[in-house]
Amino acid sequence: MAMKKVRGGLFIFIALVVWLPLLNYWFGFIESGKLNGVSPEKKLDKLSWASWWSGRYQEQRNDLLNDSIGFRPDLVRLTNQLDYTLFHKINGSNVVLGKDDYLFESGYIKEYNGIDYAGADAIQQACYKMRRIQDTLEKLGKTFVFAISPSKAYFFPEKIPASMLVRGRHQTTYTSFRQAALSQQVHMVDFNDWFLKMKDTSRHVLITRQGIHWSLYGATLAADSMLRYMTQAGVKALPRLDITGVEYSDEPRSADADLGRVLNMIYPLAGNKYSYPKYDYIKADTAGQAKVIFIGDSFLWLWIDNGMVQHTGKTWEFWYYYNTVWGGANIEQRPMKDHDQPGAIGDANCIVVMYTPFNLGLLCAADSFLATLYTHYYPGGK
Amino acid sequence: MVFSSLLFIFCFLPIFFTVYYLVPARLKNMVILLGSVFFYAWGAPRFIFVLLGTTVIDFYVVRAMAATEQQAARRALLLLSLSVNLGLLFYFKYLNFFEDNLNTVLGWLHVKPLTWTRLVLPIGISFYTFETITYVVDVYRRVHKPLRNFWDYQLYIILFPKLIAGPIIRYHDFAGQVYDHLLYDTMEYRLRGFYRFCLGLGKKVMIANVVGSAASAIFDMGTGLDTATAWIGAVSYTFQIYFDFSGYSDMAIGLGMMMGFRFPENFNNPYTALSITDFWRRWHITLGSWMRNYLYIPLGGNRVSGTRLMFNLWLVFLFSGLWHGAAWGFIIWGAYHGAFLVLERFVLGKWLAKLGSAAVLYTFPVVVIGWVFFRTEHLDTALTYLHAMFTWKPETYLWRADTQFLFTTALAVLFSFFTLTAAGKKIQHKIFHEDYTAPRHLAMGLLMTILFILCAGKITITTFNPFIYFRF
């Protein structure tokens, strides 16, 4: 009798365990919370002979179930936590666990190692085009600035796992771009170099342990520096950034733990003592408004988070990876191909191109901003 | 649909078994049949018709064969059924290989190569074709009467736990279970079946996938491999294929038990084998059994001259290799094992017998080296890899083991060899063969549920989840 009860009880217990995720998927009675990280929206075909016969219907339903089955976030967090606790292993696409739990994105380390080097000729060509564009824009009364945002791999090389470091001297896309831009006398602001110089003396965290971008504090310092540079270069009506104080927090804001968040663990990795500047934007004395176009990668989002981009003028534009446009007055998010680029540049006072070393190679592409604008100004290359 | 997927463990499994346990006994076989058709059609919407079509042809051809007493007619119908089944197997599985090799020869002769639309392999075709052959031949040999009911025959072939990757169940071993499995549909069998399923799932997800990931990374490195890493890759693949395939077999056996079916064992600690001959009594047992009953014995078995026996042994293993895949690597792997079998039969056997358990130190490396041909599938790639294994090259640090790999490999070694000890044999017997007490049920129930949840978690986050034997 006891054996019968044990078997019966086990059977019901096991049946519940196996059934619960599907029941929760259907009825949603227990909320597991969302996972961090972006997944692209998936298309779902209706059931039809064609979709079944081709296997498309089944594949899409498999994917849907994989992404939505009940308790999925809990299963993911449990597995990630166990992998970290038992094996010191993280499960994040392209995320590398460095020494002292410093997180890196693998592409940044590859660039630091000189892997996927863009090539000296391509880089020279890109910087040559930059110089000519700079000159043309100057004749039109516009300022061009080329900026390099910091790379965590250059900032914390001592935290990169030894097994991932390439020994010996090697050329990198960053060092080549820096040399070529200097030799072409391009107006360049090298935040990567500046941050390295400040690393040992800064009282505040410039790049966080769990983030891949500059910290909000570091981004604000850089924003202040960029505003001053643009003003000195002749861009009128730009505000001044007045940093009035710093508050501290154990909780990360903005992108200060962007890598750490996508690890989706039960107990997040230890972060930093985060510093968050208090600041105001002081309007310029001169009348009128500047129009600045910012072209670059995700580091520019921190300048939107701290308001620098928006305070340059109401008609600011952000050309994200030269792929998607965001803007101030009357510009809704749109693809680059639908945007009036010549018109926008015609109205602009200043164009800032800023990429982190990992993304500098994009400037060498045949469809890059540089190539497109160069062709516009110099058709046939003349 | 694969067993180690969220779709199977959280959708198909609960829905199917709930319906199965709730319907009256007279409807249970129909539920299995419908569930099996859905299971196969989900993953292979086109090939379900090939499968259903061949089962219709085979059933009626075999019925006609059993109904006639004329030997010539019986033989003709036997040949018809074998031609259809082996013809389809050749068409889908070997025609691409045949065309590639023919084009190579045509190239040597400076003749224009043939062009051909590459064919996709229906999943499980190698397994269900061999099962069909056992049905046809066993009826022909009058070992068993044919099934009277067409749906019973469909059930035998399409039964989903073993449809995709075995075990290969001889008709003779299954015939009685078509209806008597209902007598074994007990709570004890359901629970023991679930435990077995979870053990198999754990072998696949927690061990095979981890070591397999390392094996793939190392085998993909090509040239420049250092000696130590080459050996790590080969040994990792050795464990991957064992835990992957035996894990799948455990899941199939477990699912069968949950319905009252008793499938034959397919593995018996093969890496503890004391010779290659012994290895083949422990590895993919149902394939070995099939080859013995339907190829080796018809060729004469042991009752032939020494030379003919050598040839028979070697030929059987050549075909075993070919069964696994249409590539020279598989054929060479089969021939390699065949050569060792012949060697042991005529030369090495008595020396190995003197070594006792130490003979594992001979068998295991021989098997590991054989897997290199299997994994690379092509002779030139295999030779390059073996060159890396057997010529000294210091460590290049292109690949490094992490803690998870080391831990998982240690588990793989433990579970592969623990039955070499008396304690290990005892534990295995307790888990798989002894009756369970209530405390043992509670312990196993809890442990297996935890394992099930951990595996579900792994499946959720992992993107590396291929079944090796799925391709066959």
Side-chain angles (χ1 to χ4, degrees):
Chain A
M1 189 64 184
M3 184 61 137
K4 206 172 169 183
K5 277 187 182 164
V6 165
R7 284 196 197 118
L10 271 173
F11 180 80
I12 292 168
F13 171 68
I14 289 166
L16 267 172
V17 168
V18 176
W19 261 109
L20 265 175
L22 186 62
L23 290 173
N24 201 31
Y25 169 66
W26 282 338
F27 303 114
F29 43 79
I30 296 174
E31 183 63 54
S32 296
K34 285 196 179 339
L35 290 170
N36 294 314
V38 177
S39 293
E41 275 223 27
K42 284 170 183 160
K43 199 172 159 248
L44 282 178
D45 290 351
K46 281 203 171 80
L47 178 61
S48 66
W49 180 248
S51 66
W52 177 270
W53 184 251
S54 65
R56 220 171 42 244
Y57 177 85
Q58 297 90 312
E59 196 184 318
Q60 289 170 355
R61 287 322 181 275
N62 280 349
D63 288 344
L64 175 68
L65 199 81
N66 285 342
D67 290 345
S68 323
I69 191 70
F71 303 109
R72 176 177 182 255
D74 303 297
L75 286 171
V76 168
R77 285 191 205 105
L78 173 68
T79 307
N80 287 341
Q81 188 64 54
L82 283 171
D83 279 349
Y84 175 76
T85 305
L86 295 175
F87 307 120
H88 207 65
K89 176 179 171 279
I90 55 169
N91 299 314
S93 190
N94 297 324
V95 180
V96 172
L97 184 65
K99 295 175 189 169
D100 301 323
D101 287 353
Y102 274 70
L103 298 175
F104 294 87
E105 207 265 0
S106 58
Y108 285 59
I109 296 174
K110 278 187 184 162
E111 191 282 323
Y112 178 75
N113 283 324
I115 295 166
D116 296 334
Y117 174 53
D121 289 343
I123 291 169
Q124 278 292 343
Q125 265 295 301
C127 291
Y128 170 76
K129 286 175 184 167
M130 257 198 282
R131 175 57 199 266
R132 293 204 71 186
I133 288 168
Q134 177 181 285
D135 290 343
T136 305
L137 288 171
E138 217 168 87
K139 285 180 191 151
L140 297 169
K142 302 170 197 305
T143 303
F144 175 85
V145 183
F146 169 54
I148 304 176
S149 43
S151 165
K152 194 170 180 178
Y154 287 84
F155 197 75
F156 287 122
E158 71 278 11
K159 300 296 183 190
I160 298 174
S163 60
M164 292 187 79
L165 283 172
V166 168
R167 312 275 173 213
R169 290 173 65 83
H170 48 266
Q171 199 62 291
T172 70
T173 302
Y174 163 67
T175 51
S176 290
F177 253 101
R178 184 181 152 81
Q179 281 163 11
L182 282 170
S183 73
Q184 293 281 350
Q185 296 181 318
V186 171
H187 297 148
M188 180 177 67
V189 179
D190 187 351
F191 289 117
N192 194 40
D193 183 58
W194 186 45
F195 268 44
L196 275 169
K197 287 185 170 115
M198 284 199 291
K199 181 179 173 182
D200 294 329
T201 53
S202 173
R203 281 178 18 227
H204 306 287
V205 173
L206 297 173
I207 298 181
T208 64
R209 193 187 229 152
Q210 288 196 48
I212 193 57
H213 299 93
W214 40 24
S215 65
L216 194 53
Y217 176 82
T220 307
L221 279 188
D224 176 42
S225 178
M226 179 55 82
L227 283 169
R228 288 172 198 270
Y229 185 92
M230 289 195 288
T231 303
Q232 278 172 10
V235 182
K236 299 210 181 335
L238 286 174
R240 190 167 53 81
L241 178 58
D242 184 26
I243 299 174
T244 56
V246 174
E247 61 178 355
Y248 299 95
S249 172
D250 290 329
E251 287 303 314
R253 297 177 203 168
S254 184
D256 283 353
D258 52 5
L259 286 184
R261 281 206 190 97
V262 298
L263 298 184
N264 289 297
M265 288 168 40
I266 298 173
Y267 302 108
L269 295 180
N272 298 91
K273 195 80 178 167
Y274 301 99
S275 308
Y276 293 108
K278 297 177 198 172
Y279 51 89
D280 295 301
Y281 286 94
I282 314 293
K283 261 175 79 88
D285 295 331
T286 51
Q289 290 238 346
K291 178 186 170 75
V292 184
I293 299 175
F294 295 88
I295 301 159
D297 56 27
S298 49
F299 278 72
L300 283 162
W301 283 113
L302 277 291
W303 280 356
I304 287 182
D305 282 356
N306 67 14
M308 180 272 227
V309 167
Q310 300 91 311
H311 278 91
T312 56
K314 284 191 184 138
T315 54
W316 61 271
E317 289 182 22
F318 171 26
W319 298 1
Y320 181 50
Y321 279 104
Y322 190 54
N323 188 270
T324 316
V325 181
W326 274 270
N330 304 321
I331 295 181
E332 287 173 9
Q333 181 194 338
R334 65 178 70 143
M336 201 69 234
K337 62 178 176 58
D338 295 340
H339 189 54
D340 176 18
Q341 294 176 49
I345 291 173
D347 292 339
N349 308 110
C350 183
I351 287 122
V352 175
V353 173
M354 185 168 80
Y355 283 100
T356 191
F358 168 54
N359 285 321
L360 283 173
L362 295 172
L363 290 170
C364 302
D367 58 352
S368 69
F369 164 73
L370 294 179
T372 308
L373 192 59
Y374 183 81
T375 307
H376 176 73
Y377 287 143
Y378 305 103
K382 291 180 186 162
Chain B
M1 204 188 298
V2 293
F3 293 160
S4 57
S5 65
L6 295 184
L7 179 69
F8 183 83
I9 64 175
F10 286 138
C11 278
F12 186 89
L13 192 71
I15 295 173
F16 172 81
F17 279 102
T18 301
V19 173
Y20 178 76
Y21 291 143
L22 290 177
V23 299
R26 62 186 166 80
L27 292 177
K28 285 190 192 291
N29 279 359
M30 189 51 64
V31 168
I32 296 173
L33 202 51
L34 290 171
S36 299
V37 170
F38 178 80
F39 176 87
Y40 192 86
W42 181 270
R46 299 173 191 224
F47 293 124
I48 185 66
F49 298 103
V50 173
L51 177 58
L52 292 173
T54 52
T55 52
V56 170
I57 293 171
D58 288 318
F59 179 78
Y60 288 104
V61 165
V62 170
R63 184 190 248 185
M65 183 178 72
T68 180
E69 288 301 323
Q70 287 182 12
Q71 194 53 27
R74 287 174 65 85
R75 188 167 288 156
L77 288 165
L78 169 72
L79 287 172
L80 174 63
S81 177
L82 290 177
S83 302
V84 167
N85 288 294
L86 292 172
L88 280 170
L89 184 64
F90 177 82
Y91 176 75
F92 282 111
K93 190 165 178 176
Y94 298 106
L95 203 53
N96 291 338
F97 176 61
F98 175 76
E99 191 224 345
D100 290 340
N101 285 282
L102 182 62
N103 280 340
T104 304
V105 172
L106 291 175
W108 294 338
L109 299 172
H110 303 291
V111 174
K112 194 178 160 193
L114 299 172
T115 52
W116 182 259
T117 307
R118 306 298 282 182
L119 295 165
V120 177
L121 185 66
I123 45 173
I125 190 169
S126 304
F127 292 93
Y128 66 72
T129 300
F130 270 34
E131 285 182 342
T132 307
I133 291 171
T134 72
Y135 179 69
V136 170
V137 173
D138 282 358
V139 171
Y140 175 79
R141 286 176 180 169
R142 300 181 206 269
V143 170
H144 230 282
K145 283 190 169 57
L147 288 162
R148 282 200 305 268
N149 185 318
F150 169 70
W151 302 113
D152 293 343
Y153 176 68
Q154 284 277 1
L155 183 75
Y156 164 54
I157 296 296
I158 298 177
L159 184 58
F160 77 87
K162 51 95 186 152
L163 174 61
I164 304 292
I168 300 169
I169 304 178
R170 283 182 63 189
Y171 168 60
H172 177 61
D173 294 329
F174 187 82
Q177 294 190 50
V178 173
Y179 291 104
D180 86 356
H181 76 93
L182 298 168
L183 300 172
Y184 291 85
D185 183 15
T186 61
M187 200 58 78
E188 179 71 18
Y189 254 73
R190 292 175 189 180
L191 289 173
R192 296 290 290 266
F194 180 75
Y195 304 156
R196 189 75 188 257
F197 175 80
C198 292
L199 276 172
L201 188 65
K203 277 179 170 180
K204 161 69 184 160
V205 172
M206 307 297 261
I207 299 180
N209 281 3
V210 174
V211 295
S213 183
S216 287
I218 293 170
F219 272 88
D220 286 347
M221 276 175 185
T223 54
L225 214 49
D226 59 86
T227 311
T229 307
W231 274 98
I232 290 170
V235 171
S236 296
Y237 185 73
T238 301
F239 288 130
Q240 178 194 2
I241 195 167
Y242 169 54
F243 285 95
D244 186 286
F245 192 21
S246 69
Y248 194 97
S249 293
D250 284 333
M251 285 191 266
I253 291 167
L255 290 167
M257 283 174 77
M258 288 167 75
M259 292 182 267
F261 291 107
R262 288 89 60 215
F263 295 163
E265 292 293 337
N266 217 10
F267 292 88
N268 180 17
N269 305 292
Y271 293 150
T272 63
L274 303 179
S275 63
I276 296 299
T277 311
D278 187 27
F279 175 80
W280 280 99
R281 288 190 209 114
R282 296 167 176 271
W283 177 276
H284 202 350
I285 298 168
T286 57
L287 176 69
S289 177
W290 192 99
M291 287 290 178
R292 186 180 61 249
N293 289 306
Y294 299 100
L295 189 59
Y296 182 66
I297 289 172
L299 285 173
N302 294 343
R303 298 173 190 176
V304 290
S305 67
T307 319
R308 180 61 196 260
L309 176 62
M310 269 195 261
F311 174 75
N312 286 350
L313 273 174
W314 193 73
L315 188 71
V316 164
F317 277 87
L318 203 68
F319 276 110
S320 293
L322 192 60
W323 177 87
H324 282 82
W328 284 108
F330 298 114
I331 297 169
I332 292 164
W333 171 79
Y336 170 86
H337 273 265
F340 272 96
L341 250 104
V342 167
L343 218 58
E344 285 173 9
R345 177 69 77 109
F346 292 99
V347 179
L348 293 177
K350 49 183 183 289
W351 300 106
L352 289 171
K354 289 178 186 170
L355 290 175
S357 296
V360 167
L361 298 172
Y362 147 79
T363 315
F364 188 69
V366 169
V367 168
V368 169
I369 292 164
W371 286 132
V372 172
F373 294 103
F374 194 94
R375 174 57 172 78
T376 54
E377 296 186 21
H378 300 287
L379 181 60
D380 51 350
T381 329
L383 291 176
T384 305
Y385 197 91
L386 288 168
H387 183 260
M389 283 170 74
F390 288 100
T391 49
W392 172 248
K393 188 172 179 183
E395 199 171 355
T396 55
Y397 301 102
L398 289 173
W399 177 88
R400 281 167 188 263
D402 60 21
T403 315
Q404 186 184 36
F405 172 79
L406 292 170
F407 177 76
T408 308
T409 304
L411 278 182
V413 169
L414 174 68
F415 293 133
S416 298
F417 296 105
F418 80 122
T419 55
L420 281 172
T421 64
K425 283 196 182 84
K426 201 172 173 186
I427 293 169
Q428 182 174 262
H429 192 261
K430 277 187 187 306
I431 292 173
F432 291 101
H433 303 297
E434 277 183 14
D435 290 337
Y436 275 31
T437 58
R440 196 179 290 178
H441 256 300
L442 283 168
M444 271 301 270
L446 188 63
L447 272 171
M448 291 303 105
T449 306
I450 293 170
L451 182 60
F452 181 83
I453 292 168
L454 291 175
C455 291
K458 272 283 183 207
I459 293 167
T460 308
I461 65 154
T462 196
T463 55
F464 182 80
N465 193 28
F467 264 125
I468 297 173
Y469 267 74
F470 206 73
R471 310 171 35 213
F472 309 116

